[in-house]
Amino acid sequence: MGLSARQIREKLDLLVVGMTGLRDDGRFHEPNLDGTAGDYISFESWEWPQGVGLYGLIRLWLFTGRDDLKALIENWYAARIEAGLPKLNVNTTAPMLGLSVLWRETRNPRWQPVLDAWADRAVAEMGRTPEAAFAHHVSDKVNDDELWDDTLYMVALFLASYGQASGRTELVDEATRQFLVHTRYLADKKTGLWFHGWTFQGHHNFAEARWARGNAWITAGLLDLFDLADIPAPVKDFLTGVLVAQVDALLELQTASGAWRTLLDDPTSYEEISATAGFGYGLLKAYRLGLGTPEWRAAGFRAVEVLLANIDDSGTVLNVSYGTRMGHDLQFYRDIPIQPTGYGQALAILCLSEALQHVEGEVP
């Protein structure tokens, strides 16, 4: 394996610096539906990349016990809440996952009213598709009757996490339903991989893109779901089977470098590091939880090695594809630009934090 705990810890420190230093340089013009400017890069913004980023920081704090990380996280939430939260949608729900874990660990009463109110509104107000799945409505577009992989990580994990921590089992049940309905329409029975999206209006999977980061949200999301909440045994068994089918396909598609391509089964598409980090995290975590084989662990460490090679001296994760809307042809995915992002940093933090537990001998 050739990895040292010191090497991984140094990279983790750099990743935190890289994440908190992210700023929007105006490269992308993405106004919200209400006309305000969208910022999917700067650390201070309340959006889904930052939400995933905060979850990564919180996982790192829980693993290391670092007081500076805890203060950074608490100050971020306090400042954003004081400034006023944005309108509720799928993507603006993402930061609530980290806040739910923070509250679970600290039981600080300042956070619970915010969590309760957002959970109530998410269940009552969020757009629904047939079969009561959450439609992928986001800050800059209303995607009526559409299911996207991303929704499970941005919304369902929050409901599972907060429902478990607060004893609100109806929220865990809602999260479970979301995973089941999304599986029904997004999991590709032929390959075991997942399509990016589904529309009930046209009853199709758009470009039938087996998009890497969408699949990484599923690999990581299923393992985090099992970790965050008590799921009924038959449902957990079913979802474990879904995970195994996906990983069996992923193992065949890992490239010689240890990475995966942005279109998993398309050798003409570029290698993408945020998805690679997500897969590495999931594979190593699955092995630690007793769900994966030594082959999963070995593939996870190949992902770790290529991830480490893609973290520069400033702590920025390189070769991360920018936020990806639904593509109607496969070329759309090949053309997504490369851009450092909060989710790239966070998935790297999750992956290296998990790897550290293995390297330090806590996982046999």
Side-chain angles (χ1 to χ4, degrees), residues 71-134:
L72 172 67
I73 294 158
E74 290 181 324
N75 290 339
W76 190 93
Y77 279 110
R80 304 288 83 71
I81 291 168
E82 182 179 357
L85 297 184
K87 292 181 179 179
L88 179 145
N89 60 53
V90 166
N91 284 349
T92 58
T93 299
M96 290 293 171
L97 171 59
L99 188 61
S100 73
V101 178
L102 178 64
W103 176 78
R104 183 193 72 192
E105 295 298 315
T106 66
R107 296 290 164 164
N108 188 326
R110 71 187 299 187
W111 310 125
Q112 190 168 18
V114 178
L115 291 162
D116 272 324
W118 198 280
D120 290 343
R121 291 182 57 215
V123 172
E125 300 174 16
M126 202 167 283
R128 301 274 185 157
T129 71
E131 300 185 38
F134 292 132

Short mmCIF file of all heavy atoms in Angstrom, two decimals, residues 71-134:
data_model
loop_
_atom_site.label_atom_id
_atom_site.label_comp_id
_atom_site.label_asym_id
_atom_site.label_seq_id
_atom_site.Cartn_x
_atom_site.Cartn_y
_atom_site.Cartn_z
N ALA A 71 -14.92 24.69 16.03
CA ALA A 71 -15.19 26.14 16.06
C ALA A 71 -15.46 26.67 14.66
O ALA A 71 -16.37 27.50 14.46
CB ALA A 71 -14.01 26.87 16.69
N LEU A 72 -14.69 26.21 13.68
CA LEU A 72 -14.89 26.62 12.29
C LEU A 72 -16.30 26.28 11.83
O LEU A 72 -17.00 27.10 11.22
CB LEU A 72 -13.85 25.94 11.40
CG LEU A 72 -14.03 26.10 9.89
CD1 LEU A 72 -13.80 27.54 9.48
CD2 LEU A 72 -13.07 25.17 9.13
N ILE A 73 -16.72 25.07 12.12
CA ILE A 73 -18.04 24.59 11.70
C ILE A 73 -19.15 25.38 12.40
O ILE A 73 -20.11 25.85 11.76
CB ILE A 73 -18.16 23.08 12.00
CG1 ILE A 73 -17.17 22.29 11.13
CG2 ILE A 73 -19.59 22.59 11.80
CD1 ILE A 73 -16.83 20.92 11.69
N GLU A 74 -19.05 25.52 13.71
CA GLU A 74 -20.09 26.24 14.45
C GLU A 74 -20.17 27.70 14.01
O GLU A 74 -21.28 28.25 13.88
CB GLU A 74 -19.81 26.15 15.95
CG GLU A 74 -20.03 24.74 16.51
CD GLU A 74 -19.77 24.66 18.01
OE1 GLU A 74 -18.84 25.35 18.49
OE2 GLU A 74 -20.49 23.90 18.67
N ASN A 75 -19.04 28.32 13.78
CA ASN A 75 -19.04 29.72 13.34
C ASN A 75 -19.67 29.86 11.96
O ASN A 75 -20.36 30.85 11.68
CB ASN A 75 -17.62 30.28 13.35
CG ASN A 75 -17.09 30.46 14.76
OD1 ASN A 75 -17.84 30.54 15.72
ND2 ASN A 75 -15.77 30.50 14.90
N TRP A 76 -19.41 28.89 11.08
CA TRP A 76 -19.99 28.92 9.74
C TRP A 76 -21.52 28.90 9.83
O TRP A 76 -22.20 29.73 9.23
CB TRP A 76 -19.48 27.74 8.92
CG TRP A 76 -19.84 27.82 7.45
CD1 TRP A 76 -19.07 28.35 6.46
CD2 TRP A 76 -21.05 27.37 6.83
NE1 TRP A 76 -19.73 28.25 5.25
CE2 TRP A 76 -20.95 27.65 5.45
CE3 TRP A 76 -22.21 26.76 7.29
CZ2 TRP A 76 -21.95 27.34 4.54
CZ3 TRP A 76 -23.22 26.44 6.38
CH2 TRP A 76 -23.10 26.73 5.02
N TYR A 77 -22.05 27.95 10.58
CA TYR A 77 -23.51 27.85 10.68
C TYR A 77 -24.10 29.07 11.37
O TYR A 77 -25.15 29.59 10.93
CB TYR A 77 -23.90 26.57 11.42
CG TYR A 77 -23.87 25.35 10.54
CD1 TYR A 77 -22.90 24.36 10.71
CD2 TYR A 77 -24.81 25.17 9.53
CE1 TYR A 77 -22.87 23.23 9.89
CE2 TYR A 77 -24.80 24.05 8.72
CZ TYR A 77 -23.82 23.09 8.89
OH TYR A 77 -23.80 21.98 8.08
N ALA A 78 -23.47 29.55 12.42
CA ALA A 78 -24.00 30.71 13.13
C ALA A 78 -24.07 31.92 12.22
O ALA A 78 -25.09 32.65 12.20
CB ALA A 78 -23.14 31.01 14.35
N ALA A 79 -23.04 32.14 11.43
CA ALA A 79 -23.01 33.31 10.54
C ALA A 79 -24.03 33.19 9.43
O ALA A 79 -24.73 34.17 9.09
CB ALA A 79 -21.61 33.48 9.96
N ARG A 80 -24.16 32.01 8.86
CA ARG A 80 -25.12 31.84 7.76
C ARG A 80 -26.56 31.96 8.25
O ARG A 80 -27.41 32.55 7.59
CB ARG A 80 -24.93 30.47 7.10
CG ARG A 80 -23.54 30.15 6.57
CD ARG A 80 -23.15 30.91 5.32
NE ARG A 80 -22.64 32.24 5.60
CZ ARG A 80 -21.45 32.50 6.17
NH1 ARG A 80 -20.64 31.53 6.55
NH2 ARG A 80 -21.06 33.74 6.35
N ILE A 81 -26.85 31.40 9.41
CA ILE A 81 -28.21 31.47 9.95
C ILE A 81 -28.56 32.90 10.33
O ILE A 81 -29.67 33.38 10.07
CB ILE A 81 -28.36 30.50 11.14
CG1 ILE A 81 -28.29 29.05 10.63
CG2 ILE A 81 -29.67 30.74 11.88
CD1 ILE A 81 -28.14 28.02 11.74
N GLU A 82 -27.60 33.62 10.92
CA GLU A 82 -27.84 35.01 11.29
C GLU A 82 -28.11 35.87 10.06
O GLU A 82 -28.94 36.79 10.08
CB GLU A 82 -26.65 35.57 12.07
CG GLU A 82 -26.85 36.99 12.54
CD GLU A 82 -25.66 37.52 13.33
OE1 GLU A 82 -24.70 36.75 13.56
OE2 GLU A 82 -25.69 38.70 13.72
N ALA A 83 -27.41 35.55 8.97
CA ALA A 83 -27.59 36.32 7.74
C ALA A 83 -28.92 36.03 7.06
O ALA A 83 -29.39 36.83 6.25
CB ALA A 83 -26.44 36.02 6.78
N GLY A 84 -29.54 34.91 7.40
CA GLY A 84 -30.81 34.55 6.79
C GLY A 84 -30.65 33.41 5.81
O GLY A 84 -29.80 33.48 4.90
N LEU A 85 -31.43 32.35 5.98
CA LEU A 85 -31.30 31.18 5.13
C LEU A 85 -32.00 31.39 3.80
O LEU A 85 -32.98 32.13 3.69
CB LEU A 85 -31.89 29.95 5.84
CG LEU A 85 -31.18 29.55 7.13
CD1 LEU A 85 -31.79 28.27 7.70
CD2 LEU A 85 -29.69 29.36 6.91
N PRO A 86 -31.53 30.72 2.75
CA PRO A 86 -32.16 30.87 1.43
C PRO A 86 -33.48 30.12 1.34
O PRO A 86 -33.88 29.42 2.29
CB PRO A 86 -31.11 30.25 0.50
CG PRO A 86 -30.44 29.21 1.35
CD PRO A 86 -30.38 29.80 2.74
N LYS A 87 -34.12 30.23 0.19
CA LYS A 87 -35.35 29.48 -0.03
C LYS A 87 -35.08 27.98 -0.02
O LYS A 87 -34.01 27.53 -0.44
CB LYS A 87 -35.97 29.89 -1.36
CG LYS A 87 -36.50 31.32 -1.38
CD LYS A 87 -37.13 31.66 -2.72
CE LYS A 87 -37.67 33.08 -2.72
NZ LYS A 87 -38.28 33.44 -4.03
N LEU A 88 -36.04 27.24 0.46
CA LEU A 88 -35.89 25.79 0.56
C LEU A 88 -35.98 25.14 -0.82
O LEU A 88 -36.90 25.42 -1.59
CB LEU A 88 -36.97 25.22 1.48
CG LEU A 88 -36.99 23.71 1.69
CD1 LEU A 88 -37.42 23.38 3.12
CD2 LEU A 88 -37.91 23.01 0.69
N ASN A 89 -35.04 24.28 -1.12
CA ASN A 89 -35.12 23.39 -2.27
C ASN A 89 -34.19 22.21 -2.02
O ASN A 89 -33.62 22.09 -0.92
CB ASN A 89 -34.80 24.12 -3.59
CG ASN A 89 -33.41 24.73 -3.63
OD1 ASN A 89 -32.41 24.06 -3.40
ND2 ASN A 89 -33.34 26.03 -3.94
N VAL A 90 -34.05 21.33 -2.98
CA VAL A 90 -33.21 20.15 -2.79
C VAL A 90 -31.79 20.55 -2.41
O VAL A 90 -31.21 20.06 -1.43
CB VAL A 90 -33.21 19.27 -4.06
CG1 VAL A 90 -32.08 18.24 -4.01
CG2 VAL A 90 -34.56 18.57 -4.23
N ASN A 91 -31.19 21.45 -3.18
CA ASN A 91 -29.78 21.74 -2.97
C ASN A 91 -29.50 22.59 -1.75
O ASN A 91 -28.46 22.43 -1.09
CB ASN A 91 -29.19 22.39 -4.23
CG ASN A 91 -28.95 21.38 -5.33
OD1 ASN A 91 -29.03 20.18 -5.10
ND2 ASN A 91 -28.67 21.85 -6.52
N THR A 92 -30.42 23.51 -1.40
CA THR A 92 -30.19 24.31 -0.20
C THR A 92 -30.44 23.50 1.08
O THR A 92 -30.14 23.97 2.18
CB THR A 92 -31.07 25.57 -0.18
OG1 THR A 92 -32.45 25.20 -0.26
CG2 THR A 92 -30.70 26.50 -1.32
N THR A 93 -30.96 22.29 0.93
CA THR A 93 -31.12 21.41 2.09
C THR A 93 -29.79 20.75 2.47
O THR A 93 -29.60 20.34 3.62
CB THR A 93 -32.19 20.35 1.80
OG1 THR A 93 -33.43 21.00 1.54
CG2 THR A 93 -32.37 19.38 2.96
N ALA A 94 -28.86 20.66 1.55
CA ALA A 94 -27.62 19.92 1.79
C ALA A 94 -26.88 20.34 3.06
O ALA A 94 -26.39 19.47 3.80
CB ALA A 94 -26.70 20.03 0.57
N PRO A 95 -26.75 21.64 3.38
CA PRO A 95 -26.03 21.99 4.62
C PRO A 95 -26.69 21.49 5.89
O PRO A 95 -26.05 21.44 6.95
CB PRO A 95 -25.99 23.52 4.57
CG PRO A 95 -26.10 23.87 3.12
CD PRO A 95 -27.04 22.84 2.57
N MET A 96 -27.96 21.12 5.82
CA MET A 96 -28.65 20.64 7.02
C MET A 96 -28.14 19.27 7.47
O MET A 96 -28.27 18.92 8.65
CB MET A 96 -30.16 20.58 6.77
CG MET A 96 -30.81 21.94 6.67
SD MET A 96 -30.75 22.83 8.25
CE MET A 96 -31.32 24.46 7.74
N LEU A 97 -27.56 18.49 6.58
CA LEU A 97 -27.02 17.20 6.98
C LEU A 97 -25.91 17.40 8.01
O LEU A 97 -25.92 16.78 9.08
CB LEU A 97 -26.48 16.45 5.76
CG LEU A 97 -25.69 15.17 6.06
CD1 LEU A 97 -26.53 14.15 6.84
CD2 LEU A 97 -25.17 14.56 4.75
N GLY A 98 -24.96 18.27 7.70
CA GLY A 98 -23.88 18.53 8.65
C GLY A 98 -24.40 19.10 9.95
O GLY A 98 -23.93 18.72 11.04
N LEU A 99 -25.38 20.01 9.86
CA LEU A 99 -25.92 20.61 11.08
C LEU A 99 -26.60 19.56 11.95
O LEU A 99 -26.51 19.61 13.19
CB LEU A 99 -26.89 21.73 10.73
CG LEU A 99 -27.40 22.58 11.90
CD1 LEU A 99 -26.24 23.30 12.59
CD2 LEU A 99 -28.44 23.59 11.42
N SER A 100 -27.25 18.59 11.33
CA SER A 100 -27.91 17.54 12.11
C SER A 100 -26.90 16.70 12.87
O SER A 100 -27.14 16.30 14.02
CB SER A 100 -28.77 16.66 11.20
OG SER A 100 -27.98 15.81 10.38
N VAL A 101 -25.75 16.43 12.24
CA VAL A 101 -24.71 15.66 12.93
C VAL A 101 -24.07 16.49 14.03
O VAL A 101 -23.78 15.98 15.13
CB VAL A 101 -23.66 15.16 11.91
CG1 VAL A 101 -22.55 14.40 12.63
CG2 VAL A 101 -24.31 14.27 10.85
N LEU A 102 -23.86 17.78 13.75
CA LEU A 102 -23.32 18.67 14.78
C LEU A 102 -24.24 18.68 16.00
O LEU A 102 -23.78 18.58 17.15
CB LEU A 102 -23.17 20.08 14.21
CG LEU A 102 -22.66 21.15 15.18
CD1 LEU A 102 -21.24 20.84 15.65
CD2 LEU A 102 -22.72 22.53 14.51
N TRP A 103 -25.55 18.82 15.77
CA TRP A 103 -26.50 18.84 16.89
C TRP A 103 -26.53 17.49 17.61
O TRP A 103 -26.59 17.44 18.84
CB TRP A 103 -27.91 19.18 16.39
CG TRP A 103 -28.93 19.10 17.49
CD1 TRP A 103 -29.16 20.03 18.47
CD2 TRP A 103 -29.83 18.02 17.75
NE1 TRP A 103 -30.15 19.60 19.32
CE2 TRP A 103 -30.57 18.36 18.89
CE3 TRP A 103 -30.07 16.80 17.12
CZ2 TRP A 103 -31.56 17.53 19.42
CZ3 TRP A 103 -31.05 15.96 17.64
CH2 TRP A 103 -31.77 16.33 18.78
N ARG A 104 -26.47 16.41 16.86
CA ARG A 104 -26.46 15.08 17.48
C ARG A 104 -25.30 14.94 18.46
O ARG A 104 -25.44 14.34 19.53
CB ARG A 104 -26.33 14.01 16.39
CG ARG A 104 -26.38 12.57 16.88
CD ARG A 104 -25.92 11.61 15.80
NE ARG A 104 -24.48 11.69 15.57
CZ ARG A 104 -23.86 11.13 14.53
NH1 ARG A 104 -24.55 10.51 13.59
NH2 ARG A 104 -22.54 11.23 14.41
N GLU A 105 -24.16 15.49 18.09
CA GLU A 105 -22.96 15.33 18.92
C GLU A 105 -22.91 16.31 20.08
O GLU A 105 -22.37 16.00 21.14
CB GLU A 105 -21.71 15.48 18.04
CG GLU A 105 -21.56 14.40 17.00
CD GLU A 105 -21.41 13.02 17.62
OE1 GLU A 105 -20.64 12.87 18.59
OE2 GLU A 105 -22.08 12.08 17.13
N THR A 106 -23.42 17.53 19.90
CA THR A 106 -23.29 18.56 20.93
C THR A 106 -24.57 18.81 21.71
O THR A 106 -24.51 19.32 22.83
CB THR A 106 -22.86 19.89 20.29
OG1 THR A 106 -23.91 20.37 19.43
CG2 THR A 106 -21.57 19.73 19.48
N ARG A 107 -25.72 18.51 21.11
CA ARG A 107 -27.04 18.80 21.68
C ARG A 107 -27.18 20.28 22.05
O ARG A 107 -27.90 20.63 22.99
CB ARG A 107 -27.31 17.92 22.90
CG ARG A 107 -27.39 16.45 22.57
CD ARG A 107 -28.63 16.11 21.76
NE ARG A 107 -28.53 14.80 21.11
CZ ARG A 107 -29.56 14.12 20.61
NH1 ARG A 107 -30.77 14.64 20.66
NH2 ARG A 107 -29.38 12.96 20.03
N ASN A 108 -26.48 21.12 21.31
CA ASN A 108 -26.61 22.56 21.53
C ASN A 108 -28.02 22.99 21.12
O ASN A 108 -28.41 22.83 19.96
CB ASN A 108 -25.57 23.31 20.69
CG ASN A 108 -25.52 24.78 21.01
OD1 ASN A 108 -26.53 25.40 21.32
ND2 ASN A 108 -24.33 25.37 20.91
N PRO A 109 -28.80 23.55 22.03
CA PRO A 109 -30.21 23.85 21.72
C PRO A 109 -30.40 24.92 20.65
O PRO A 109 -31.50 25.05 20.11
CB PRO A 109 -30.77 24.30 23.07
CG PRO A 109 -29.59 24.77 23.85
CD PRO A 109 -28.46 23.90 23.43
N ARG A 110 -29.36 25.66 20.31
CA ARG A 110 -29.51 26.73 19.32
C ARG A 110 -29.83 26.17 17.93
O ARG A 110 -30.42 26.85 17.10
CB ARG A 110 -28.26 27.60 19.27
CG ARG A 110 -27.05 26.91 18.64
CD ARG A 110 -25.78 27.73 18.74
NE ARG A 110 -25.89 29.00 18.07
CZ ARG A 110 -24.85 29.83 17.91
NH1 ARG A 110 -23.66 29.52 18.42
NH2 ARG A 110 -24.99 30.95 17.26
N TRP A 111 -29.44 24.90 17.69
CA TRP A 111 -29.58 24.35 16.34
C TRP A 111 -30.92 23.64 16.12
O TRP A 111 -31.38 23.55 14.99
CB TRP A 111 -28.45 23.37 16.03
CG TRP A 111 -27.06 23.86 16.31
CD1 TRP A 111 -26.11 23.26 17.09
CD2 TRP A 111 -26.44 25.04 15.79
NE1 TRP A 111 -24.95 23.99 17.11
CE2 TRP A 111 -25.12 25.09 16.31
CE3 TRP A 111 -26.86 26.06 14.93
CZ2 TRP A 111 -24.23 26.12 16.01
CZ3 TRP A 111 -25.97 27.08 14.63
CH2 TRP A 111 -24.69 27.11 15.16
N GLN A 112 -31.54 23.14 17.17
CA GLN A 112 -32.70 22.27 16.97
C GLN A 112 -33.90 22.98 16.33
O GLN A 112 -34.55 22.40 15.45
CB GLN A 112 -33.10 21.58 18.27
CG GLN A 112 -34.16 20.50 18.03
CD GLN A 112 -34.39 19.59 19.21
OE1 GLN A 112 -34.04 19.93 20.34
NE2 GLN A 112 -34.99 18.44 18.97
N PRO A 113 -34.25 24.20 16.73
CA PRO A 113 -35.38 24.85 16.06
C PRO A 113 -35.16 25.00 14.56
O PRO A 113 -36.12 24.88 13.77
CB PRO A 113 -35.48 26.21 16.76
CG PRO A 113 -34.84 25.99 18.10
CD PRO A 113 -33.74 25.03 17.86
N VAL A 114 -33.93 25.28 14.15
CA VAL A 114 -33.62 25.42 12.73
C VAL A 114 -33.82 24.08 12.02
O VAL A 114 -34.42 24.01 10.94
CB VAL A 114 -32.17 25.92 12.54
CG1 VAL A 114 -31.82 26.01 11.06
CG2 VAL A 114 -31.97 27.26 13.23
N LEU A 115 -33.32 23.01 12.64
CA LEU A 115 -33.44 21.69 12.05
C LEU A 115 -34.90 21.23 11.97
O LEU A 115 -35.35 20.70 10.95
CB LEU A 115 -32.62 20.69 12.87
CG LEU A 115 -31.10 20.86 12.78
CD1 LEU A 115 -30.41 20.16 13.93
CD2 LEU A 115 -30.59 20.33 11.44
N ASP A 116 -35.64 21.43 13.05
CA ASP A 116 -37.05 21.03 13.06
C ASP A 116 -37.84 21.76 11.98
O ASP A 116 -38.63 21.15 11.25
CB ASP A 116 -37.68 21.30 14.43
CG ASP A 116 -37.51 20.13 15.39
OD1 ASP A 116 -37.58 18.97 14.94
OD2 ASP A 116 -37.32 20.38 16.59
N ALA A 117 -37.63 23.06 11.90
CA ALA A 117 -38.39 23.85 10.94
C ALA A 117 -38.07 23.44 9.51
O ALA A 117 -38.96 23.32 8.66
CB ALA A 117 -38.09 25.34 11.14
N TRP A 118 -36.78 23.21 9.24
CA TRP A 118 -36.40 22.84 7.87
C TRP A 118 -36.91 21.45 7.53
O TRP A 118 -37.40 21.22 6.41
CB TRP A 118 -34.89 22.92 7.69
CG TRP A 118 -34.48 22.99 6.25
CD1 TRP A 118 -34.39 21.95 5.37
CD2 TRP A 118 -34.13 24.16 5.50
NE1 TRP A 118 -34.00 22.40 4.13
CE2 TRP A 118 -33.83 23.75 4.19
CE3 TRP A 118 -34.04 25.51 5.83
CZ2 TRP A 118 -33.45 24.64 3.18
CZ3 TRP A 118 -33.65 26.40 4.83
CH2 TRP A 118 -33.36 25.96 3.52
N ALA A 119 -36.82 20.50 8.45
CA ALA A 119 -37.31 19.15 8.19
C ALA A 119 -38.82 19.17 7.93
O ALA A 119 -39.31 18.51 7.00
CB ALA A 119 -36.98 18.24 9.36
N ASP A 120 -39.55 19.92 8.75
CA ASP A 120 -41.00 20.01 8.56
C ASP A 120 -41.34 20.56 7.19
O ASP A 120 -42.22 20.05 6.48
CB ASP A 120 -41.62 20.89 9.64
CG ASP A 120 -41.59 20.25 11.03
OD1 ASP A 120 -41.38 19.03 11.12
OD2 ASP A 120 -41.76 21.00 12.02
N ARG A 121 -40.66 21.63 6.82
CA ARG A 121 -40.94 22.25 5.53
C ARG A 121 -40.52 21.37 4.36
O ARG A 121 -41.20 21.31 3.33
CB ARG A 121 -40.23 23.61 5.44
CG ARG A 121 -40.82 24.67 6.38
CD ARG A 121 -40.09 25.99 6.19
NE ARG A 121 -40.16 26.41 4.81
CZ ARG A 121 -39.17 27.05 4.18
NH1 ARG A 121 -38.03 27.33 4.81
NH2 ARG A 121 -39.31 27.42 2.92
N ALA A 122 -39.39 20.67 4.52
CA ALA A 122 -38.95 19.78 3.44
C ALA A 122 -40.01 18.72 3.14
O ALA A 122 -40.35 18.47 1.97
CB ALA A 122 -37.62 19.12 3.81
N VAL A 123 -40.54 18.12 4.17
CA VAL A 123 -41.53 17.06 3.98
C VAL A 123 -42.84 17.64 3.44
O VAL A 123 -43.49 17.04 2.56
CB VAL A 123 -41.76 16.31 5.30
CG1 VAL A 123 -42.92 15.33 5.17
CG2 VAL A 123 -40.49 15.57 5.72
N ALA A 124 -43.23 18.80 3.93
CA ALA A 124 -44.53 19.36 3.56
C ALA A 124 -44.52 20.14 2.25
O ALA A 124 -45.52 20.14 1.52
CB ALA A 124 -45.03 20.27 4.69
N GLU A 125 -43.41 20.82 1.94
CA GLU A 125 -43.42 21.79 0.85
C GLU A 125 -42.62 21.40 -0.37
O GLU A 125 -42.84 21.95 -1.46
CB GLU A 125 -42.89 23.14 1.37
CG GLU A 125 -43.68 23.74 2.52
CD GLU A 125 -43.03 24.99 3.08
OE1 GLU A 125 -42.15 25.57 2.40
OE2 GLU A 125 -43.38 25.38 4.21
N MET A 126 -41.67 20.50 -0.23
CA MET A 126 -40.81 20.17 -1.36
C MET A 126 -41.62 19.51 -2.47
O MET A 126 -42.51 18.71 -2.21
CB MET A 126 -39.66 19.27 -0.91
CG MET A 126 -38.46 19.30 -1.83
SD MET A 126 -37.01 18.54 -1.09
CE MET A 126 -36.48 19.83 0.04
N GLY A 127 -41.32 19.88 -3.71
CA GLY A 127 -42.04 19.32 -4.84
C GLY A 127 -41.92 17.80 -4.90
O GLY A 127 -40.88 17.24 -4.56
N ARG A 128 -42.98 17.16 -5.35
CA ARG A 128 -43.01 15.70 -5.42
C ARG A 128 -43.29 15.24 -6.85
O ARG A 128 -43.98 15.91 -7.63
CB ARG A 128 -44.11 15.15 -4.50
CG ARG A 128 -43.96 15.53 -3.02
CD ARG A 128 -43.07 14.60 -2.27
NE ARG A 128 -43.05 14.91 -0.83
CZ ARG A 128 -42.73 14.03 0.11
NH1 ARG A 128 -42.39 12.79 -0.21
NH2 ARG A 128 -42.72 14.39 1.39
N THR A 129 -42.80 14.06 -7.14
CA THR A 129 -43.10 13.38 -8.39
C THR A 129 -44.18 12.34 -8.12
O THR A 129 -44.57 12.12 -6.96
CB THR A 129 -41.86 12.65 -8.92
OG1 THR A 129 -41.59 11.51 -8.09
CG2 THR A 129 -40.64 13.55 -8.94
N PRO A 130 -44.68 11.65 -9.14
CA PRO A 130 -45.46 10.45 -8.86
C PRO A 130 -44.69 9.50 -7.94
O PRO A 130 -43.45 9.47 -7.95
CB PRO A 130 -45.64 9.83 -10.25
CG PRO A 130 -45.62 11.00 -11.18
CD PRO A 130 -44.61 11.94 -10.59
N GLU A 131 -45.38 8.78 -7.12
CA GLU A 131 -44.82 7.88 -6.10
C GLU A 131 -44.14 8.63 -4.96
O GLU A 131 -43.40 8.06 -4.18
CB GLU A 131 -43.89 6.83 -6.73
CG GLU A 131 -44.59 5.96 -7.77
CD GLU A 131 -43.74 4.85 -8.31
OE1 GLU A 131 -42.96 4.23 -7.55
OE2 GLU A 131 -43.85 4.58 -9.52
N ALA A 132 -44.43 9.94 -4.89
CA ALA A 132 -44.06 10.77 -3.74
C ALA A 132 -42.56 10.95 -3.55
O ALA A 132 -42.11 11.27 -2.45
CB ALA A 132 -44.68 10.23 -2.46
N ALA A 133 -41.78 10.79 -4.60
CA ALA A 133 -40.36 11.11 -4.50
C ALA A 133 -40.17 12.62 -4.59
O ALA A 133 -41.01 13.34 -5.13
CB ALA A 133 -39.57 10.42 -5.61
N PHE A 134 -39.05 13.11 -4.04
CA PHE A 134 -38.75 14.54 -4.15
C PHE A 134 -38.31 14.87 -5.57
O PHE A 134 -37.36 14.27 -6.09
CB PHE A 134 -37.64 14.93 -3.18
CG PHE A 134 -38.03 14.86 -1.72
CD1 PHE A 134 -37.22 14.22 -0.79
CD2 PHE A 134 -39.22 15.43 -1.28
CE1 PHE A 134 -37.57 14.15 0.55
CE2 PHE A 134 -39.58 15.37 0.06
CZ PHE A 134 -38.76 14.73 0.97
#
